[in-house]
Amino acid sequence: MKNNDFSFFGFEKLNYVADNLLNILFNEATEVSISVILDKICVSPPYFTFKKIYKYQNILIAQAKVEQPIDNEIASISIGEAGRHMAILGTCICAIDQGDKYYYLVKNAKTSLVIQDITSLCNNENDLYIAIESRYIDNKIANAYGILFNTEKKVIYQLEASYNKVKTTLFSRLFKKHAEEIKPSKESPYRKQITFENKEINHEKLLFSIPEIEKERCAGHFKNYPILPTAFVIYNIISHVGNFLLEKNNKKRYYITEVRLSLLELLFLKSEKEVEITYRNMNRSNLYQVSCNITQDKKKNADVIFYINLI
C-alpha cells in the first residue's frame, strides 16, 4: 500500500483463531463488555453492530452480521461492508487498553479477497466472524490487521488499516461547525443504498455526484457529528460502478479482489461531493482496475482503487 506505516509480518495467529474458533470462544477467550468498548471509541450503534466481543490474548473476536444489500456482487458479505465491520473492530482493538476516549480515524486501508473458491463466496449459510489485532506506531498512529472468516474455517477477506488517534477535545475544536444533534435511529440507515446519477460518461471515465445525505443516515458515525462513513461510500461506489460495467459488458455478476483507500479528509454532509471514475481493462476481458477520485468542495478528499472481475 502507498503512504502507510504497515509493518505486519503475517496473519498466522489470526488464521489460527479461524481454525480453532469454537475451542477459543468456549475455553480460552473472555467476553469484553460492549459498554466498556463504546466508552472508549466514538463510533456507536447503528453503525457499530457487534452484540458480543471476545478477547483472546491480544486479539479481538466478534461475529459480523450482514445488513447491507449484496446486489450483483458475488459474496456472502460485500467487500465494502466487510471492510466497514473489520475497521470498526479495529478501532476497538486499538482502544481497548487506552484509558481515555478517542476518535480513531482511518487514513489508509486495504481489504483483500483471500478465498480462491469463488463459488464459496455465495454461501450464506455460515456465520461470519472477525479476528483482529493491532500495533501502535507511535502515540498518535495505530495499525490494525484483521480477517473475516466463516464457520467452515475459510478466510474470506483480510484487512490492513492505519488510524489517526485524535483526542475528543481536539476533534470537537476542529469540527465544531459540523456539530449537530442526531435523533436515535430505530432501524439502521445503512441497509439502504445511495442512488448516484451519472453526470458524464466518456471512454474509460465516469463522473457522478454524491447526493445530499440526511444527517440521520450517518447515525453512529459520529454521535452529534454526522459524518458520512467512507466505508459506506465505498460500498455504494462499488455497487454503482459494478452495475455500470456489467451492463457495458453484458455480464451478470462480479466479485472484488481488492480495495485500497487513502483518505485525506472526513466526508462532511453540507459539501459538494463528486466522484471521478477511471476504469481500465487489465489485459483480460473480464478484469478491470477502477480508480476513484473523490472530491469535496472541489478539493481532493480520497483515493480509492479496486479490482473487479466480471462474470
Side-chain angles (χ1 to χ4, degrees):
M1 266 192 76
K2 189 177 179 182
N3 297 329
N4 64 31
D5 300 306
F6 295 139
S7 56
F8 194 53
F9 298 104
F11 287 82
E12 290 82 3
K13 195 172 180 182
L14 297 172
N15 292 335
Y16 175 83
V17 172
D19 289 336
N20 299 275
L21 178 66
L22 293 180
N23 179 60
I24 289 172
L25 290 182
F26 284 109
N27 299 309
E28 300 183 60
T30 56
E31 188 172 350
V32 180
S33 168
I34 295 293
S35 62
V36 169
I37 289 288
L38 291 176
D39 282 343
K40 292 175 177 284
I41 64 175
C42 295
V43 175
S44 58
Y47 194 63
F48 177 103
T49 63
F50 301 119
K51 302 301 181 185
K52 289 186 177 182
I53 296 176
Y54 298 89
K55 190 171 188 288
Y56 167 68
Q57 297 180 11
N58 63 333
I59 295 172
L60 288 188
I61 305 167
Q63 186 173 359
K65 292 290 188 181
V66 180
E67 71 169 13
Q68 294 170 202
I70 295 171
D71 203 21
N72 290 314
E73 184 175 351
I74 300 173
S76 52
I77 180 172
S78 71
I79 195 169
E81 184 175 9
R84 164 194 165 187
H85 296 311
M86 287 192 287
I88 293 172
L89 195 61
T91 67
C92 298
I93 189 64
C94 292
I96 194 166
D97 293 325
Q98 301 299 305
D100 297 322
K101 188 171 191 169
Y102 291 92
Y103 286 87
Y104 295 88
L105 307 177
V106 172
K107 62 173 186 171
N108 294 295
K110 180 173 75 172
T111 307
S112 306
L113 181 69
V114 177
I115 197 167
Q116 298 296 315
D117 181 11
I118 301 305
T119 58
S120 297
L121 282 173
C122 300
N123 188 344
N124 298 319
E125 296 179 359
N126 293 304
D127 291 334
L128 300 173
Y129 286 85
I130 298 168
I132 203 156
E133 58 181 316
S134 66
R135 302 277 191 280
Y136 267 88
I137 303 303
D138 56 36
N139 192 44
K140 296 181 180 179
I141 299 175
N143 292 342
Y145 314 91
I147 59 173
L148 184 145
F149 57 97
N150 62 26
T151 46
E152 289 185 345
K153 305 178 182 180
K154 292 182 178 179
V155 176
I156 302 171
Y157 298 116
Q158 287 180 348
L159 171 77
E160 300 168 78
S162 182
Y163 303 81
N164 286 321
K165 176 184 166 188
V166 180
K167 291 182 177 180
T168 55
T169 50
L170 176 60
F171 187 94
S172 299
R173 189 163 66 249
L174 290 174
F175 305 119
K176 61 182 179 180
K177 70 177 182 179
H178 299 285
E180 196 171 355
E181 186 177 354
I182 308 175
K183 294 181 180 179
S185 177
K186 293 182 179 179
E187 294 185 1
S188 173
Y190 303 103
R191 297 180 185 275
K192 185 179 179 182
Q193 290 179 298
I194 300 173
T195 301
F196 299 132
E197 290 189 11
N198 295 330
K199 296 173 64 176
E200 185 177 338
I201 302 175
N202 293 322
H203 178 63
E204 296 188 339
K205 283 195 175 182
L206 187 64
L207 179 68
F208 55 87
S209 297
I210 298 177
E212 186 173 341
I213 305 294
E214 302 88 354
K215 63 181 181 180
E216 288 76 17
R217 295 203 65 182
C218 301
H221 190 276
F222 300 99
K223 185 178 180 181
N224 296 332
Y225 289 92
I227 294 171
L228 194 57
T230 307
F232 187 57
V233 173
I234 291 173
Y235 156 78
N236 283 279
I237 289 175
I238 289 175
S239 179
H240 181 78
V241 176
N243 289 331
F244 170 80
L245 290 175
L246 289 179
E247 184 176 354
K248 180 180 176 67
N249 290 275
N250 196 28
K251 298 292 184 180
K252 294 182 178 180
R253 304 288 301 279
Y254 62 84
Y255 63 94
I256 309 296
T257 56
E258 184 177 284
V259 179
R260 300 183 185 188
L261 164 70
S262 178
L263 184 64
L264 302 178
E265 284 192 20
L266 299 173
L267 279 168
F268 301 108
L269 293 189
K270 296 176 182 178
S271 63
E272 181 184 346
K273 295 174 279 292
E274 285 191 337
V275 182
E276 183 182 65
I277 302 292
T278 303
Y279 53 93
R280 181 168 64 92
N281 190 276
M282 301 292 290
N283 296 321
R284 289 168 50 189
S285 59
N286 296 324
L287 175 64
Y288 284 84
Q289 180 194 67
V290 180
S291 300
C292 314
N293 176 31
I294 303 175
T295 60
Q296 181 172 232
D297 292 333
K298 308 298 183 182
K299 296 180 181 178
K300 193 177 188 66
N301 173 270
D303 283 320
V304 179
I305 296 175
F306 64 90
Y307 295 87
I308 180 169
N309 284 269
L310 309 182
I311 301 294

